[in-house]
Amino acid sequence: MNTKPEIIKDNWNKINEIVKTNFDSEQANNIRLMFEHFEERIIEAPASGRPNHHNCFPGGWLDHTLRVIKTSLKMREHFIDLGVNVITTKEDVILAAMFHDLGKLGDLDNPYYKIQTDDWRRKKLKEFYTHNSDMENLSVTDRALWLLQHFNIKVSTEVWKAIKMSDGMFDKGNEDYYRRSSDSRNILHYIVHFGDWMSTVAEKQHYIQGNVEKQKKIEETKKEFNKKNLDV
């Protein structure tokens, strides 16, 4: 977990550079307009509401998004290494990965997450953020797709499907997509889902490892303290 302002600023610059260097001028301009609208939320939003989920900290959404882009591009290369003649372009991988969790920024007027103010839920459930009930009830991916069309960001059928299916079978609405047999050569939805899932697992491990290291330092401090007391 890293919430240092300079890290968040660097991530903000990274995602804008990705847009600038990978999309045509019209597409890049529409994405920038959307980023301007959501700038404060992009910088502040977590990727989840609880630390034991993933990236539950300010800037967590942005950090997660960059990781999914990077991991999805690697997954594309892995498929090529496995002998798959991948027809999906890098641009489509980046576009789908970048916006798979766009719905977690909220709608045009309301953030998706609100800081949990209930002390009991914060302490007992470790629920640091809660879902904002002021919004229209939509799934994260459905809201993402609505926002993309609102800002005139063009997506192909393959990109639309990859965003919709990014949560894999964890979203019951995706079951028919994944279970239905298809001879299509499109594998973008697999690339993005694997990229998202691997990134999420990694982020959960970062949290667990951080706790292990923290506990290790506590134990070392205790031993040092006890040793000094015994030596007196």
Side-chain angles (χ1 to χ4, degrees):
M1 180 179 79
N2 202 325
T3 60
K4 292 180 179 179
E6 57 268 29
I7 298 296
I8 296 175
K9 182 180 180 181
D10 184 54
N11 284 343
W12 169 252
N13 291 334
K14 281 180 182 177
I15 201 166
N16 278 283
E17 184 62 24
I18 289 171
V19 172
K20 180 181 177 181
T21 56
N22 287 281
F23 303 113
D24 64 53
S25 57
E26 181 182 358
Q27 184 85 316
N29 185 60
N30 288 337
I31 293 173
R32 280 195 296 269
L33 288 174
M34 184 173 71
F35 279 0
E36 287 175 10
H37 181 88
F38 288 116
E39 180 174 354
E40 186 174 330
R41 283 187 238 167
I42 290 172
I43 290 169
E44 295 180 352
S48 73
R50 298 184 183 186
N52 62 333
H53 289 182
H54 71 114
N55 274 25
C56 176
F57 53 84
W61 180 92
L62 180 54
D63 178 79
H64 174 70
T65 297
L66 289 171
R67 186 170 290 104
V68 175
I69 293 170
K70 182 178 180 180
T71 309
S72 295
L73 287 170
K74 287 183 178 180
M75 289 306 307
R76 179 180 181 273
E77 294 305 312
H78 286 327
F79 273 112
I80 293 172
D81 291 341
L82 289 168
V84 178
N85 184 10
V86 178
I87 62 173
T88 301
T89 64
K90 289 184 178 179
E91 290 77 13
D92 275 355
V93 172
I94 292 169
L95 189 63
M98 184 180 295
F99 296 129
H100 80 285
D101 263 353
L102 178 62
K104 286 188 177 180
L105 294 181
D107 60 24
L108 295 176
D109 303 310
N110 303 284
Y112 181 78
Y113 285 113
K114 296 170 70 175
I115 293 175
Q116 178 57 267
T117 57
D118 186 319
D119 284 342
W120 187 89
R121 296 189 70 86
R122 286 179 66 86
K123 292 175 182 177
K124 298 296 184 182
L125 303 179
K126 301 296 183 184
E127 185 180 277
F128 294 167
Y129 295 88
T130 184
H131 293 159
N132 188 351
S133 60
D134 293 336
M135 296 186 303
E136 189 69 31
N137 184 24
L138 291 172
S139 70
V140 169
T141 53
D142 285 349
R143 182 175 289 106
L145 293 166
W146 185 89
L147 287 170
L148 290 173
Q149 63 82 32
H150 177 83
F151 285 95
N152 296 314
I153 297 167
K154 295 180 175 63
V155 297
S156 64
T157 302
E158 292 79 11
V159 170
W160 189 99
K161 186 177 179 182
I163 293 172
K164 175 69 177 173
M165 297 173 66
S166 59
D167 283 331
M169 297 284 275
F170 295 104
D171 183 342
K172 290 184 178 180
N174 291 335
E175 287 186 8
D176 188 57
Y177 286 109
Y178 278 104
R179 293 186 187 282
R180 189 183 296 269
S181 177
S182 173
D183 292 329
S184 172
R185 290 180 57 201
N186 168 40
I187 59 169
L188 179 57
H189 47 292
Y190 292 114
I191 290 171
V192 174
H193 172 52
F194 295 154
D196 180 31
W197 182 231
M198 289 180 71
S199 298
T200 299
V201 171
E203 288 155 12
K204 287 181 179 180
Q205 286 300 308
H206 296 163
Y207 172 73
I208 293 168
Q209 289 163 199
N211 283 344
V212 170
E213 288 300 315
K214 190 184 297 181
Q215 190 59 40
K216 186 178 177 182
K217 287 179 181 178
I218 291 171
E219 293 302 323
E220 288 173 354
T221 303
K222 284 181 179 178
K223 286 180 182 179
E224 186 66 25
F225 178 79
N226 291 334
K227 182 182 177 183
K228 286 180 179 179
N229 283 344
L230 289 171
D231 292 341
V232 173

